[in-house]
Amino acid sequence: AAGHGDRYDPPTGDLFGVKPGEKYEKEGWESLWYWGVFGGFGVATVAYAFKPDTSIQTWALEEARRRLEAEGILPDPDKEPKK
């Protein structure tokens, strides 16, 4: 062995090494990790909800509408007749 000592931790029966009745103490990196991961998921969810629609179906529908308006087959919704 390389002289680093015994690498075996004998089982104690305690969940995550915390004895019953003791309070778990967080390590310094845990809060930052939780905020980073869950904050990242939150930002990604908001970004996904507000992303522009770039599907081929939406583009084709808009292009067909523009062409039909240009040919006069479909009336232009911006130029409605005055009543």
Side-chain angles (χ1 to χ4, degrees):
H4 291 288
D6 190 19
R7 301 205 36 117
Y8 176 70
D9 290 331
T12 61
D14 302 328
L15 184 62
F16 303 118
V18 179
K19 295 184 176 160
E22 289 184 6
K23 184 174 169 121
Y24 176 72
E25 293 182 24
K26 283 196 216 179
E27 295 183 19
W29 58 268
E30 290 182 79
S31 295
L32 181 63
W33 188 86
Y34 290 136
W35 280 104
V37 169
F38 294 116
F41 279 131
V43 168
T45 301
V46 169
Y48 182 74
F50 288 103
K51 76 178 181 91
D53 184 9
T54 58
S55 68
I56 189 69
Q57 290 88 0
T58 303
W59 173 84
L61 183 63
E62 289 296 318
E63 184 66 22
R65 184 187 57 78
R66 282 189 205 109
R67 289 182 184 186
L68 289 174
E69 286 175 358
E71 293 177 12
I73 298 172
L74 190 67
D76 191 358
D78 294 333
K79 298 178 182 176
E80 292 186 22
K82 295 180 182 179
K83 295 181 181 180

